[in-house]
């Protein structure tokens, strides 16, 4: 069974950092593009970042550009989201999602095949 699962969420103070991981089981991520999404209470889900299967192409939401970085280690079958300079408005449940990398994508794309259960990120003093 193909699954992805997020980890690394938690409580952090404003200005702090967290690194989220997205690990795959049941398949290799080598040919899959990965998107990170988040959903805050009472808000719609939004795209946060995108990384192509090769890792050569990335895209970010304007709200996180310069603060968040996505990367991948295909040998470990894992994709990461490094979040720095966190703000209270970054508080949300964060999800990763995977799709076979067949076409160019942006952070606005949402048609992914495999979604994780999410990990809570809370930014608060």
């Amino acid at each position: 069974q193909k699954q992805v699962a997020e980890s690394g969420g938690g409580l952090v103070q404003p200005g702090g950092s967290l690194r989220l991981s997205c690990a795959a089981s049941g398949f290799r991520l080598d040919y899959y593009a990965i998107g990170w999404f988040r959903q805050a209470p009472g808000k719609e889900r939004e795209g946060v970042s995108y990384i192509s299967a090769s890792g050569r192409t990335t895209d970010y939401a304007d709200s996180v550009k310069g603060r968040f970085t996505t990367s991948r280690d295909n040998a470990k079958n894992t994709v990461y989201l490094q979040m720095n300079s966190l703000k209270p408005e970054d508080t949300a449940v964060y999800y990763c999602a995977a799709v076979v990398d067949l076409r160019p994508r942006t952070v606005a794309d949402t048609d992914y095949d495999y979604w994780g259960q999410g990990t809570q990120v809370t930014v608060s003093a």
Side-chain angles (χ1 to χ4, degrees):
Q1 185 177 2
K2 297 178 179 178
Q3 293 181 327
V4 293
E6 309 87 349
S7 62
L11 173 64
V12 63
Q13 292 187 342
S17 298
L18 281 175
R19 188 178 78 161
L20 304 184
S21 298
C22 174
S25 59
F27 68 108
R28 296 290 309 172
L29 284 178
D30 304 55
Y31 302 105
Y32 286 78
I34 301 296
W36 284 97
F37 299 83
R38 67 186 181 187
Q39 188 166 20
K43 295 188 177 181
E44 292 190 354
R45 185 181 64 196
E46 63 171 337
V48 174
S49 70
Y50 155 79
I51 186 166
S52 64
S54 68
R56 288 193 290 266
T57 302
T58 58
D59 192 25
Y60 299 93
D62 288 343
S63 58
V64 306
K65 279 181 182 176
R67 300 188 298 122
F68 289 13
T69 303
T70 186
S71 62
R72 61 193 303 150
D73 186 341
N74 285 346
K76 294 183 178 180
N77 217 28
T78 302
V79 174
Y80 304 99
L81 182 66
Q82 178 67 44
M83 306 186 296
N84 299 328
S85 303
L86 283 162
K87 305 175 182 180
E89 51 263 43
D90 295 318
T91 295
V93 177
Y94 283 71
Y95 302 88
C96 68
V99 67
V100 176
D101 195 354
L102 297 176
R103 62 171 179 83
R105 288 176 172 266
T106 71
V107 68
D109 288 309
T110 60
D111 57 328
Y112 287 77
D113 293 326
Y114 306 102
W115 291 80
Q117 294 298 307
T119 186
Q120 177 70 46
V121 172
T122 302
V123 185
S124 175

